[in-house]
Amino acid sequence: TLGVDASAAVLVGDSAHDLVAARAAGVEAVLVTNGHPDPDLVALADVVLDSLSEFDAALTPTRQSAD
């Protein structure tokens, strides 16, 4: 392990494999659709972003204040 609690981590990805890995690791799953949302993938994600450039704005205040 990396010594990080799962509640303090997220996995950002754009594929089903990424979302399955997030679930297996017990971390929040962030899906980046790059403008092409797949309804099946969207259903698996905790957070859906059109672009990675939206990531900072999508962080919860709790996560932002932890930095």
Side-chain angles (χ1 to χ4, degrees):
T1 68
L2 298 175
V4 176
D5 189 76
S7 66
V10 300
L11 189 148
V12 180
D14 62 359
S15 73
H17 295 288
D18 296 326
L19 299 176
V20 169
R23 291 290 168 253
V27 301
E28 194 171 0
V30 179
L31 172 68
V32 181
T33 66
N34 297 308
H36 304 285
D38 176 327
D40 293 330
L41 294 181
V42 168
L44 295 173
D46 296 306
V47 176
V48 179
L49 308 175
D50 284 330
S51 167
L52 191 55
S53 65
E54 299 173 349
F55 183 73
D56 286 343
L59 290 177
T60 63
T62 302
R63 288 190 191 276
Q64 289 177 354
S65 64
D67 292 339

